[in-house]
Amino acid sequence: MSNAFADVNRYFERAAAVLNLSREVVEQLVTPYRELRVECTIRMDNGSIRTFTGYRVQHDNSRGPFKGGLRYHPDVDIDEVRALASLMTWKTAVVGIPFGGAKGGISVDPSQLSVFELERLTRKFVAGIHDLIGDSVDIPAPDVNTNAQVMAWIMDEYSKFHGFHPGVVTGKPVDLFGSVGRDEATGRGVVIALEELLRTQAQQLSDATYVVQGFGNVGSHTARILHERGGRVIGIGDHTASFYDTSGLDIPSALAHVKEKRVLAGWTGAPQIQNSEILLKPCDVLIPAALGGVITKDNADKLQCRIIAEGANGPTTPEADEILRHRSITVLPDIFANAGGVTVSYFEWVQNLQQFAWDENKVRVELERVMRNAFRHLNQTAAKHHIDLRTAAFVVAIDRVARATAQRGL
Ligand code: GLU
């Protein structure tokens, strides 16, 4: 994702033009508020010492505390974190939850670290940023290669400096002040978004075929819920293996395999294809749910789908987006399609502040309400300005952030 921040800002600029924003306002909204870079030096299990670099970018907090995930990946750098932080600002605004945008990450390949090393690394990172996060300041959450256990370590390490504040981080284990339904929330949100879009085309989830690229938290829950809802998932893949069968895949079997082996490699439930083919296979709905920058100008004209639902953050480059628009492929943009995760993070935060836990039904009902309202607003905005859904999502988001910014004053 090189130049990822510039890519996000190209989408921003398209929408800013629709809104007729002045240069001054554009500059104010685009510029990140604060960027942290911290050295994380830990002792490895074998006695050696290694240094990793961690980042936290706080992009905007005019609508509420900074909010966004924490990613552990070798490709993490300041440009990527900046881009993802900015996407969070627009994402929280699109769905109308009272947060700003932030993102963090550590440049590390977590598969090369033991669980003890990962814990030490996480705690070291928190020690470096604890003064600049907090339940009313900035609230991290899971993202690529981080999970509820990592969030539990963050909560615990933070409490050593500031006492009991479970709302400092979301996506925690349900046993430790987490919310039921948070784990599957991004996937469930993707499915709700698709259901709404298909409804505008007089179709149901069960009328379409789906290919899901990525089988981590987002991809696996999306595939599971689509399958449960009668959708035919005909392709799945992760970085280790991909599978495709037009008669439909046995998703429960793939999930059971991944639960045991962590990756799809070794699953024998369907014909295997090259990983490079998964995005190009015929389907109604393509769901990129892994890393950014996978739909590019080199493959956008080869896709054989009519809808793309962006489970991942930033999967489509602006050049590819242009091609998709010309090809009349409808894109449910990341800042809306994958907003279910941060929405249930909001519910978790509310539960933490109120010290009152919701049941799963309440989480689902509220998630549906937020996602369906957001879609309605998005769709109306797109129709009103004759623009695509991504530009409409940015228009809705930028309008809200710009108003909050203006009302606060300098
Ligand atoms: N990492 C997720 C995202 O990109 C969730 C962020 C959150 O829950 O704060 O939306």
Side-chain angles (χ1 to χ4, degrees):
M1 252 182 132
S2 62
N3 282 321
F5 188 53
D7 284 357
V8 174
N9 289 336
R10 277 178 63 183
Y11 293 136
F12 177 98
E13 296 274 351
R14 274 177 67 88
V18 174
L19 284 166
N20 246 324
L21 290 188
S22 72
R23 270 291 114 199
E24 296 162 328
V25 174
V26 166
E27 194 172 332
Q28 192 184 357
L29 295 184
V30 162
T31 311
Y33 175 76
R34 179 156 53 199
E35 302 186 344
L36 287 165
R37 183 181 177 283
V38 290
E39 173 201 326
C40 306
T41 299
I42 58 165
R43 191 170 294 283
M44 306 301 279
D45 293 347
N46 68 7
S48 66
I49 290 173
R50 276 186 67 186
T51 297
F52 301 90
T53 305
Y55 305 91
R56 186 76 181 166
V57 172
Q58 299 175 332
H59 180 262
D60 190 277
N61 66 349
S62 58
R63 297 184 58 265
F66 300 107
K67 184 85 189 83
L70 191 60
R71 166 177 296 208
Y72 289 178
H73 196 276
D75 291 347
V76 164
D77 61 18
I78 189 66
D79 177 69
E80 183 188 72
V81 178
R82 211 178 262 154
L84 294 166
S86 158
L87 283 176
M88 287 308 303
T89 297
W90 315 123
K91 189 183 303 186
T92 53
V94 166
V95 287
I97 57 175
F99 289 129
K103 200 74 162 205
I106 302 178
S107 177
V108 59
D109 180 354
S111 69
Q112 302 298 307
L113 266 58
S114 73
V115 68
F116 303 111
E117 290 165 342
L118 271 179
E119 176 175 352
R120 287 196 287 276
L121 180 61
T122 302
R123 290 186 186 277
K124 212 45 186 284
F125 180 64
V126 175
I129 67 165
H130 71 89
D131 271 328
L132 293 167
I133 61 173
D135 60 15
S136 60
V137 184
D138 180 2
I139 303 138
D143 197 81
V144 174
N145 292 334
T146 58
N147 57 20
Q149 176 60 72
V150 174
M151 301 306 119
W153 292 328
I154 294 175
M155 185 193 104
D156 183 70
E157 192 64 24
Y158 182 84
S159 75
K160 294 177 186 168
F161 298 97
H162 303 277
F164 177 71
H165 291 282
V168 65
V169 63
T170 58
K172 299 178 293 294
V174 175
D175 291 329
L176 203 62
F177 307 98
S179 175
V180 290
R182 174 62 186 85
D183 200 44
E184 63 160 32
T186 310
R188 187 166 289 281
V190 170
V191 175
I192 299 168
L194 275 167
E195 194 179 16
E196 286 295 314
L197 176 66
L198 289 169
R199 197 202 305 277
T200 65
Q201 305 172 352
Q203 285 206 317
Q204 299 181 345
L205 289 170
S206 55
D207 294 327
T209 57
Y210 304 86
V211 166
V212 183
Q213 179 246 1
F215 215 68
N217 173 281
V218 182
S220 66
H221 284 295
T222 302
R224 174 181 60 81
I225 298 167
L226 284 170
H227 183 80
E228 284 169 6
R229 299 286 308 274
R232 187 147 47 100
V233 181
I234 59 176
I236 56 174
D238 67 8
H239 65 287
T240 66
S242 299
F243 303 87
Y244 182 80
D245 185 347
T246 49
S247 58
L249 301 176
D250 183 352
I251 298 300
S253 156
L255 290 166
H257 177 89
V258 167
K259 194 167 176 197
E260 198 187 321
K261 305 274 199 260
R262 289 195 18 238
V263 290
L264 279 170
W267 187 50
T268 51
Q272 199 168 338
I273 57 167
Q274 297 288 326
N275 279 351
S276 55
E277 291 177 88
I278 185 85
L279 294 170
L280 310 179
K281 286 288 180 190
C283 59
D284 294 310
V285 182
L286 177 63
I287 304 170
L291 295 175
V294 295
I295 301 176
T296 66
K297 63 174 174 4
D298 300 324
N299 63 11
D301 53 0
K302 301 193 193 89
L303 305 186
Q304 302 188 65
C305 58
R306 58 183 186 86
I307 295 170
I308 294 174
E310 296 184 334
N313 288 312
T316 310
T317 66
E319 295 81 14
D321 195 61
E322 187 90 37
I323 296 169
L324 300 177
R325 261 202 314 282
H326 283 123
R327 293 189 58 200
S328 299
I329 294 176
T330 306
V331 179
L332 281 169
D334 48 5
I335 59 172
F336 166 65
N338 73 34
V342 73
T343 299
V344 178
S345 275
Y346 166 51
F347 302 156
E348 180 173 329
W349 179 74
V350 167
Q351 293 170 69
N352 292 155
L353 296 188
Q354 297 187 338
Q355 302 193 22
F356 180 80
W358 299 3
D359 63 21
E360 189 153 21
N361 187 53
K362 181 159 170 76
V363 170
R364 284 196 191 174
V365 167
E366 293 294 318
L367 174 61
E368 301 235 345
R369 184 181 58 78
V370 169
M371 291 298 292
R372 294 195 203 285
N373 281 344
F375 181 79
R376 203 168 312 125
H377 198 113
L378 215 69
N379 210 25
Q380 285 164 357
T381 306
K384 180 173 160 201
H385 297 286
H386 307 288
I387 50 180
D388 59 288
L389 288 174
R390 190 193 309 280
T391 309
F394 273 88
V395 165
V396 169
I398 295 169
D399 189 39
R400 287 178 176 160
V401 176
R403 270 186 289 137
T405 304
Q407 284 160 358
R408 278 175 184 268
L410 293 180

